[in-house]
Amino acid sequence: MADTSRRALRLLSLLPARPQWSLGELATRLGAGERTVRRDIETLRQLDFPIVTVHGPGGGYRLGAGHTLPPLLFDEDQALAVAVALQTAPSTVFGLGDDAARALDALTQVMPARLRASMEALRLTRLRNYWEFPAPPIDPAALKTVGAAVRHRHPLTIEILRADGSRAEPGDGDFTPAVRVEPHHLVVWAGRWYLVARHLADEAWRVHRVDRIHARVSSRTPFAASDVPGGDVAAFVMTSHDRGDTPATWQCTGSARLNLPAGTVARWAPGGSVVEHLDAHHCRLTLGAWSWAGIAGILATFDTGLTEVRPAELVDACHRLAHRFSAVTESPEPARTSEPG
């Protein structure tokens, strides 16, 4: 009986993980025969769990609508994934700290002792080091608006906000008129939320920082799905040099002209830096760090020619690093000691 109960709980945790399961897949994951799985499914149906049989060559089983699974039906991997997600979400979404902590406590209380011990072991202590490139947490209301529009394929009207989140008024030097877009994807990269959208005015695909736009639904009529240029959403976001980013707040901020295309630099530049397209083979990178030597070190990772380095403090830091590296290459090789035989 205990084995049957454990198997039934495991079955309930598997069903919502996919839109549909074949009988063979369920049997393999549960380590049981297909006849046994059929009996377990019938048992769950008698307990009013709406498990639907899908007929046909590609048939199987799926969990019907109208039933919410309680947290205690998570398996160990799912529980640990939720524990990590609840502890890391507040760093990217504003105002979730208390709610996430309460949800984690509630989830922990209903877990069996073995799972509770595993979750407690993953209580994270978030530490910051000097090489983090932080982003401000995003407003959950903005995230809900954009996320729902992406999910339901509802066109949006968006306004570009200032770096501090305020709205520019007509007549301001940085004012840009609102535009209508088709929101296709919501992407999280380097601690920042990005909207991948197709602009209706010129049919161009662009990437926008969600915390740098004010969005409202402009139509409830769904648009047709389209593929981003190249067909790879991740590559499109990472190689788009104009993502609405502005330099993060740092003790030191500098820039340089690089002999590389903007798309290449955008992919490897730290979050919170700005890549400006100059021509097909050159771009300007603006970034910050905790020291001028830190910026110089990051620039060196691109392994290309640098010009128009600014400000003078960054130029001095580059010279100092070059002198240090030169001294390293000119140092005599230390004598080797023989290994004991």
Side-chain angles (χ1 to χ4, degrees):
M1 185 63 184
D3 289 341
T4 301
S5 299
R6 282 195 294 267
R7 199 170 53 246
L9 291 175
R10 173 65 173 157
L11 178 58
L12 282 175
S13 73
L14 287 174
L15 286 171
R18 290 188 192 173
Q20 184 174 313
W21 291 83
S22 70
L23 180 60
E25 289 173 329
L26 290 173
T28 299
R29 295 293 292 270
L30 295 172
E34 294 187 358
R35 180 179 298 181
T36 299
V37 175
R38 285 196 185 96
R39 286 200 301 265
D40 291 340
I41 289 174
E42 289 306 316
T43 299
L44 291 174
R45 283 171 171 166
Q46 292 174 10
L47 296 173
D48 295 329
F49 287 93
I51 301 175
V52 179
T53 300
V54 181
H55 299 284
Y61 298 93
R62 62 178 175 83
L63 189 66
H67 188 82
T68 301
L69 295 178
L72 60 85
L73 296 178
F74 288 155
D75 62 23
E76 183 169 2
D77 291 339
Q78 291 170 323
L80 296 183
V82 171
V84 172
L86 287 173
Q87 293 178 81
T88 56
S91 64
T92 62
V93 182
F94 178 75
L96 288 188
D98 292 340
D99 292 335
R102 289 191 296 107
L104 184 61
D105 289 339
L107 184 62
T108 303
Q109 291 172 11
V110 299
M111 283 291 164
R114 179 175 56 85
L115 293 187
R116 189 181 304 118
S118 297
M119 291 179 63
E120 289 291 348
L122 280 179
R123 290 280 185 171
L124 304 180
T125 301
R126 287 187 293 273
L127 303 177
R128 277 191 65 180
N129 61 49
Y130 289 117
W131 293 106
E132 287 181 344
F133 296 87
I138 193 171
D139 182 358
L143 197 57
K144 289 179 182 177
T145 298
V146 174
V150 170
R151 179 179 180 183
H152 299 295
R153 302 203 178 281
H154 289 161
L156 288 172
T157 297
I158 63 173
E159 301 173 51
I160 307 301
L161 303 178
R162 295 189 175 101
D164 62 1
S166 63
R167 300 169 72 172
E169 300 295 333
D172 294 343
D174 53 358
F175 173 77
T176 56
V179 294
R180 294 184 69 243
V181 304
E182 293 178 347
H184 282 264
H185 300 279
L186 192 58
V187 177
V188 182
W189 183 48
R192 290 159 175 79
W193 294 81
Y194 294 97
L195 169 65
V196 179
R198 189 174 74 94
H199 285 228
L200 297 180
D202 57 5
E203 299 187 348
W205 287 82
R206 295 185 175 88
V207 180
H208 296 279
R209 277 269 297 269
V210 177
D211 60 326
R212 302 285 169 79
I213 61 173
H214 175 74
R216 65 181 186 276
V217 175
S218 57
S219 172
R220 299 291 178 181
T221 302
F223 57 84
S226 301
D227 292 331
V228 299
D232 187 332
V233 176
F236 181 74
V237 172
M238 289 190 295
T239 57
S240 296
H241 67 274
D242 186 3
R243 297 186 291 255
D245 285 319
T246 56
T249 302
W250 285 102
Q251 292 169 268
C252 304
T253 302
S255 67
R257 176 188 172 108
L258 280 65
N259 297 342
L260 286 172
T264 300
V265 175
R267 178 163 190 165
W268 305 110
S273 57
V274 174
V275 181
E276 178 187 355
H277 172 81
L278 299 177
D279 57 44
H281 305 290
H282 301 85
C283 68
R284 187 184 315 281
L285 174 61
T286 302
L287 72 162
W290 66 280
S291 70
W292 295 112
I295 300 177
I298 296 173
L299 291 174
T301 64
F302 288 95
D303 194 23
T304 188
L306 304 175
T307 57
E308 301 177 17
V309 178
R310 301 171 184 141
E313 291 86 347
L314 179 56
V315 176
D316 292 340
C318 290
H319 288 311
R320 289 196 302 273
L321 283 184
H323 176 73
R324 290 170 187 161
F325 291 151
S326 175
V328 168
T329 58
E330 294 173 358
S331 297
E333 185 175 348
R336 296 185 178 181
T337 57
S338 59
E339 295 292 334

